[in-house]
Amino acid sequence: MLHNSQTCPSTVSGSGFAQFEKNWFAVQLKEGRIMSELRDMGFRGGVKIQCKEILAMLSLLMLLGGLIFHKFILGSAVYLFKDIGSDTLNTFYPAFINIAETLWRGELPGWSFEQGLGQNVFPFSLSDPTTYPLYLLGSENLAFGIIWVELFKIIGSGLLFFSFLKKRAVDTRAAYMGGLLYAFSGFMIIGSGWYIFSTLGLYVALILLSFEMLYLERKWWLFPISIALLAALNVVNLYTCSVFLFLYVLLRVFGDEAGSFKQFSKLLVSMALLGALGILISSVLSVPNLMQMVASPRVSGEASYTNNLSAPPMFELGDGNYLVTWLMRTFSSDLLGNGTLENINSYKGWRNYLEAPLGYCGLITLLLVPQLFTLLKARQRIVYGMFLGIFIFATIFPWFRRGFWLFQGDYFRDFSLYTAIIFILFSALAFDKFIKGEAVNRLVLGISFCVSISLLYFPYGIILQDDFDGYTPLSEAIDQEIQLKILLFLILLVAGLILFASKKFVSYAAFCILMITFAELATFNHHTVDMRYVITNQELHQKTGYNDYSTDAITLIKRQDQDFFRIEKNYGSTVHRSLNDAKVQHYYGSSSYSSFNQLNYINFLGVTDVLDPKNEDETRWVKGVKDSIALQVLTGVQYFLFKGGWESSPDNIYSKIGSVGDVNILKSRYALPMGIAYDTYITQTNFSRLTGENRQIALMKAIMIPDAIALSLPSMSEISGQHVSNSDYGLDELSLDTEKLKLNRLFITDFSDNHINGRIKTKLKQLVFFSFPFDPNWSATVNGKDTEMLMVDGGLSAVLVEPGDNVISLQYDTPYVKAGLCFTMLGLLIYGILLLRNRNATKLKTKMYEMS
């Protein structure tokens, strides 16, 4: 058993059990399984946490959370951002709506035509259990529930980090401080405005607690659950956390005078086995997530930052812009501006408000971390110093930080969280020692204060540059009001620490530090949250945003047209021209903003010269086909919602059929149905010789196929593409091409996101084209016989049919879910067996105690 892996006889007599326990405990001490503080205090295992301590911590967290987020709690605004955090509005919220409505229909998320030209949306849809309450609220009330989910994560992370510190035998008051600093760190508060980062903070705190339970008490049951949650959330986060946890285990084992490599290796083996069990449990969610990431343009495609990010020299210092941003954001998340945009208070510095360093975790850490090194023993100073030094070194020399991300991104994110954990942990350990009677080193305190003030006020003369190519002198970028508040709080904290010099003031000193820290976190985080541009309650009920006149226009169109069609818009319904409007307003379009867009859709847009598949940004922010007339026709864009003077648009293929509010409803005269049969093809080789718009025009005349299957289509004619030219291709020729293709159309008799039935009559053995991306998990039957689906046009779908009447049925089976579920059930079975054996072993041990 993992919880009983140490040296232990298979049978122990009742009379000898007490002696065995004594000997066993001595072995644990010798191997360094219990931290030195607990050895001195005579404890075995971790410290038991009292209920009243948990309630006190909960009260502090709730009070501080209420002060910071009061306008959202009272309902005057919802936690959706219109500024740099517009991902909440343009990405997460549309996904929440799409998932919620799918679940309320009694279905699991699968293929959705509301993203791009269609994509599997199961990956990442159910990966975060903290979002499940939002889905229960339904799409109409979902927005109001977001703040409560975020508060749950913030408060929950504080409670877990408090419990983690208590397991390490930290004084309760020091643990209170640590819990507050963690829950209201820059990473957690700014991260709560991107949702997934606060979830990461919650799970990492849970993993730290579960590790201490395993390490100190041999209680293993929580560790695989915490790993399962993180693996389901995102395997990338699991990887980064594993790197950090490995370093933390080094600190825990070798930071103890009795720590040994043997004990370290045994601990790692136990953690690896339990971690593997957790990953197995998560498989139903983590495997589909991982496979979608692997199949995305960022991994399997050509869009990757790897070469660019790994190219600079390893030991090249970060530039002044980068390093000064890191220093200033350690004092306050908003010292260089807030997350607002186009505002005098907006963020100015390296990268953007989220991806810049998120180092703020309380000013007290700047004073306490140096103090800890005056209180440690020689070996501990080396181990603790190396642990902290690794993260500072990787910050100063960015090549190593980018290497931490496997050169897939140039940002901080998780890295900031792990750095903050080190600062908070070290500060809590120092604070604990002061409460227990250790003396504050006044010289080090004075130096720390002077260095902090010097770094805060030094005239660097740096010109800051942000992601939007804005240039601002540092002297103008710094918020002087926040700078002054930092100075005042540092003075108060120094005064509070000096109180520890007198033993009779120790209790007062601890209380003062806690209250000053509480006030500081409330002050700075209220600024972080309250200054942001958010959606108000009033806006939700006005004809703005996703609730604009687009919804009325789409309702009107659906009432008149029951066939399959796509809609494009020349505007976005929210800020920054949202590309995911279709998920909220419930129509089929072609745009998509996602980190992992469907690879074959990107390939199709790449071969038609709509985007550059090697440009990582273009593969995420996909405008779709709205800028190409030929591709609009090909993919079945039947309607166009237009604001402004639509009549002036060149080569207009639309006619106005009505208007609602400020939205003109245009209908295409040429749009093709979803399924059409081509009798002409062009090989990939000949197609590749065309360029630009000629490629798009070629697809109106022939279906583009791989060279290898051309011989199997003797009844279809081939064109070389030599006579395709956009210079003489007008609306008359477009009309001829579309009328020809419409003669062999698929009549859809049954349609849903995951199942399509239709019938088509053909004169030849030819290809039936479908205007959605090829995915190997779409299966087809023609007249009841299984038929292979083919990839055509560089990334779309087709099936081969025989002459005559053909009944076609297409079915999508969400990949990896069934296999993942089997692995999950196996993992839960193993977990249940281990729990049962653990329970039986505990009963036996209790009985033996009673017999002795």
Side-chain angles (χ1 to χ4, degrees):
M1 287 294 294
L2 292 170
H3 72 283
N4 197 23
S5 61
Q6 302 300 314
T7 309
C8 178
S10 57
T11 58
V12 182
S13 64
S15 60
F17 188 77
Q19 183 63 36
F20 159 70
E21 283 289 309
K22 182 177 179 180
N23 294 338
W24 182 90
F25 184 54
V27 170
Q28 303 309 300
L29 293 178
K30 184 176 180 180
E31 292 188 356
R33 289 297 303 271
I34 299 178
M35 55 190 286
S36 58
E37 293 94 331
L38 290 178
R39 273 208 314 271
D40 296 337
M41 297 169 66
F43 287 122
R44 175 180 182 265
V47 176
K48 185 176 181 180
I49 306 171
Q50 300 295 325
C51 181
K52 61 181 181 180
E53 296 173 343
I54 289 288
L55 291 175
M57 182 77 260
L58 177 61
S59 300
L60 286 172
L61 292 165
M62 291 177 65
L63 177 59
L64 188 51
L67 291 171
I68 294 170
F69 297 97
H70 64 88
K71 74 177 180 182
F72 302 100
I73 294 172
L74 296 177
S76 61
V78 294
Y79 212 54
L80 293 166
F81 295 88
K82 296 186 290 184
D83 53 22
I84 187 65
S86 60
D87 278 357
T88 58
L89 192 61
N90 296 337
T91 301
F92 298 112
Y93 182 68
F96 291 161
I97 294 293
N98 181 267
I99 297 163
E101 298 205 343
T102 301
L103 294 173
W104 275 85
R105 291 197 302 267
E107 304 171 4
L108 284 176
W111 189 270
S112 174
F113 282 99
E114 292 180 354
Q115 181 165 335
L117 289 182
Q119 179 167 336
N120 175 21
V121 296
F122 179 83
F124 301 103
S125 62
L126 302 174
S127 298
D128 183 2
T130 65
T131 61
Y132 293 178
L134 298 179
Y135 306 145
L136 291 175
L137 289 174
S139 58
E140 293 184 359
N141 302 311
L142 190 151
F144 295 98
I146 293 174
I147 184 58
W148 297 104
V149 170
E150 291 308 307
L151 276 173
F152 166 79
K153 291 187 284 187
I154 291 170
I155 293 171
S157 67
L159 285 173
L160 291 170
F161 202 82
F162 165 81
S163 302
F164 154 70
L165 292 174
K166 285 294 294 179
K167 287 296 179 185
R168 292 205 53 168
V170 169
D171 181 89
T172 302
R173 288 161 290 184
Y176 287 153
M177 183 188 74
L180 289 172
L181 292 175
Y182 185 84
F184 295 96
S185 62
F187 179 88
M188 288 298 297
I189 298 303
I190 294 178
S192 71
W194 273 266
Y195 307 159
I196 56 174
F197 299 104
S198 53
T199 305
L200 172 64
L202 177 70
Y203 291 166
V204 169
L206 181 64
I207 287 174
L208 288 172
L209 173 61
S210 66
F211 167 76
E212 291 297 335
M213 290 172 61
L214 173 67
Y215 180 65
L216 295 173
E217 302 171 331
R218 294 173 292 123
K219 294 180 179 178
W220 60 269
W221 62 271
L222 186 58
F223 192 80
I225 297 300
S226 62
I227 294 296
L229 288 169
L230 188 56
L233 180 69
N234 194 314
V235 293
V236 173
N237 295 136
L238 178 63
Y239 152 72
T240 64
C241 185
S242 298
V243 173
F244 173 74
L245 195 59
F246 175 80
L247 295 173
Y248 179 72
V249 174
L250 283 171
L251 173 76
R252 286 297 278 129
V253 174
F254 294 106
D256 186 347
E257 294 294 330
S260 66
F261 181 78
K262 180 180 179 181
Q263 200 257 331
F264 170 73
S265 60
K266 285 185 177 180
L267 183 59
L268 277 188
V269 169
S270 297
M271 292 171 62
L273 292 173
L274 291 170
L277 177 58
I279 294 172
L280 195 64
I281 292 172
S282 76
S283 295
V284 67
L285 298 174
S286 61
V287 172
N289 296 353
L290 175 63
M291 298 312 295
Q292 185 176 74
M293 292 172 65
V294 170
S296 73
R298 301 174 72 176
V299 180
S300 295
E302 300 176 281
S304 175
Y305 290 134
T306 303
N307 292 333
N308 290 336
L309 294 180
S310 61
M314 291 176 61
F315 296 101
E316 181 181 73
L317 280 169
D319 61 25
N321 178 44
Y322 166 86
L323 292 175
V324 168
T325 300
W326 168 53
L327 288 174
M328 295 301 104
R329 296 262 285 185
T330 302
F331 289 104
S332 166
S333 298
D334 293 346
L335 185 56
L336 295 180
N338 192 265
T340 56
L341 292 176
E342 300 175 357
N343 183 296
I344 192 171
N345 293 314
S346 62
Y347 169 76
K348 301 171 181 68
W350 182 82
R351 296 300 300 269
N352 59 58
Y353 192 62
L354 171 68
E355 292 173 341
L358 296 172
Y360 174 70
C361 53
L363 297 174
I364 187 65
T365 61
L366 304 178
L367 303 174
L368 287 180
V369 169
Q371 290 289 323
L372 178 65
F373 287 91
T374 69
L375 304 170
L376 297 173
K377 297 177 182 178
R379 172 171 166 170
Q380 289 178 316
R381 287 197 190 106
I382 295 173
V383 175
Y384 279 61
M386 290 180 64
F387 185 48
L388 176 61
I390 287 172
F391 286 85
I392 295 178
F393 179 85
T395 301
I396 295 174
F397 298 97
W399 189 94
F400 294 92
R401 175 180 51 79
R402 295 191 290 262
F404 172 80
W405 288 105
L406 302 179
F407 302 105
Q408 295 301 305
D410 188 15
Y411 33 62
F412 276 77
R413 299 188 181 183
D414 303 24
F415 190 88
S416 289
L417 172 63
Y418 303 133
T419 306
I421 288 173
I422 298 169
F423 273 82
I424 297 170
L425 172 61
F426 285 14
S427 299
L429 294 176
F431 197 46
D432 167 71
K433 290 181 180 294
F434 294 153
I435 293 172
K436 293 175 180 175
E438 297 282 354
V440 173
N441 189 311
R442 295 189 180 186
L443 176 61
V444 172
L445 180 62
I447 293 173
S448 301
F449 175 76
C450 291
V451 170
S452 297
I453 298 304
S454 298
L455 292 173
L456 181 63
Y457 281 94
F458 186 82
Y460 296 94
I462 296 293
I463 303 296
L464 297 176
Q465 180 185 4
D466 58 33
D467 250 1
F468 305 100
D469 293 326
Y471 294 87
T472 310
L474 177 63
S475 57
E476 297 179 13
I478 288 182
D479 188 318
Q480 294 183 357
E481 183 179 343
I482 292 179
Q483 189 180 40
L484 178 59
K485 289 177 181 178
I486 292 171
L487 174 61
L488 293 176
F489 276 117
L490 281 172
I491 293 172
L492 290 173
L493 289 168
V494 168
L497 289 173
I498 291 175
L499 287 177
F500 279 107
S502 175
K503 292 185 178 181
K504 65 179 181 179
F505 289 124
V506 168
S507 296
Y508 297 106
F511 179 79
C512 286
I513 294 297
L514 270 176
M515 291 302 99
I516 296 168
T517 300
F518 185 96
E520 175 204 325
L521 292 172
T523 301
F524 290 156
N525 284 313
H526 180 265
H527 186 279
T528 297
V529 172
D530 198 56
M531 291 288 293
R532 304 284 297 278
Y533 293 156
V534 296
I535 300 294
T536 65
N537 187 355
Q538 186 178 10
E539 285 178 281
L540 284 179
H541 299 93
Q542 295 174 338
K543 297 303 291 182
T544 59
Y546 289 123
N547 194 40
D548 64 7
Y549 285 105
S550 304
T551 58
D552 303 276
I554 292 165
T555 300
L556 180 62
I557 292 170
K558 288 182 176 180
R559 191 179 300 139
Q560 298 175 354
D561 193 336
Q562 306 299 315
D563 204 352
F564 177 89
F565 55 83
R566 287 193 168 93
I567 297 175
E568 289 292 350
K569 300 160 65 177
N570 78 325
Y571 61 93
S573 289
T574 64
V575 295
H576 308 149
R577 296 293 294 267
S578 169
L579 298 173
N580 291 321
D581 290 2
K583 286 186 172 182
V584 183
Q585 296 173 338
H586 307 305
Y587 66 89
Y588 303 143
S590 69
S591 62
S592 173
Y593 170 35
S594 172
S595 295
F596 307 109
N597 277 311
Q598 218 268 2
L599 177 61
N600 289 322
Y601 180 38
I602 299 302
N603 290 338
F604 163 70
L605 295 177
V607 300
T608 53
D609 287 344
V610 172
L611 55 73
D612 179 2
K614 296 181 180 180
N615 186 314
E616 201 269 348
D617 286 344
E618 290 189 29
T619 66
R620 279 191 287 165
W621 283 275
V622 180
K623 293 191 299 182
V625 301
K626 66 179 62 179
D627 293 332
S628 167
I629 292 175
L631 295 187
Q632 288 174 40
V633 172
L634 179 70
T635 58
V637 178
Q638 185 74 48
Y639 299 93
F640 209 114
L641 304 185
F642 209 96
K643 289 185 179 181
W646 66 274
E647 297 92 342
S648 61
S649 178
D651 296 325
N652 207 313
I653 63 172
Y654 295 95
S655 300
K656 183 176 178 179
I657 62 171
S659 63
V660 181
D662 60 344
V663 175
N664 295 306
I665 306 174
L666 313 180
K667 185 173 183 179
S668 173
R669 299 188 294 272
Y670 306 103
L672 295 171
M674 171 183 271
I676 50 177
Y678 279 89
D679 58 14
T680 308
Y681 69 82
I682 180 172
T683 63
Q684 187 171 344
T685 298
N686 287 329
F687 185 84
S688 65
R689 296 190 179 105
L690 301 174
T691 58
E693 193 176 342
N694 288 338
R695 290 188 173 190
Q696 301 168 15
I697 294 171
L699 297 182
M700 299 303 304
K701 299 180 175 297
I703 189 168
M704 191 265 278
I705 62 172
D707 293 27
I709 67 171
L711 294 177
S712 63
L713 302 171
S715 59
M716 294 179 64
S717 58
E718 179 183 2
I719 67 169
S720 65
Q722 293 179 352
H723 304 296
V724 175
S725 174
N726 64 334
S727 60
D728 56 2
Y729 191 82
L731 294 182
D732 290 341
E733 191 170 354
L734 174 66
S735 178
L736 291 174
D737 288 338
T738 55
E739 289 303 319
K740 175 185 176 182
L741 290 170
K742 286 179 182 179
L743 292 175
N744 290 322
R745 66 169 296 176
L746 176 77
F747 292 91
I748 296 176
T749 56
D750 183 30
F751 177 85
S752 68
D753 280 326
N754 298 281
H755 186 76
I756 303 171
N757 284 336
R759 53 184 176 81
I760 188 170
K761 186 174 183 178
T762 58
K763 297 180 179 179
L764 307 169
K765 182 179 181 180
Q766 57 194 119
L767 288 170
V768 177
F769 163 82
F770 304 102
S771 56
F772 61 79
F774 175 82
D775 187 304
N777 298 286
W778 275 104
S779 59
T781 61
V782 178
N783 297 325
K785 296 180 180 180
D786 292 339
T787 303
E788 180 185 7
M789 292 199 72
L790 304 172
M791 185 165 69
V792 297
D793 289 2
L796 302 185
S797 305
V799 295
L800 185 63
V801 299
E802 299 292 336
D805 293 324
N806 293 281
V807 176
I808 300 176
S809 179
L810 307 178
Q811 178 68 42
Y812 187 77
D813 292 317
T814 307
Y816 309 110
V817 174
K818 293 178 181 178
L821 182 60
C822 292
F823 285 118
T824 293
M825 297 303 294
L826 175 61
L828 290 173
L829 177 62
I830 295 172
Y831 183 76
I833 292 172
L834 291 175
L835 277 180
L836 185 61
R837 290 186 61 188
N838 184 65
R839 181 181 180 185
N840 292 337
T842 302
K843 286 183 177 180
L844 176 62
K845 185 175 180 179
T846 302
K847 185 176 180 180
M848 295 177 74
Y849 264 121
E850 293 172 352
M851 293 174 61
S852 64

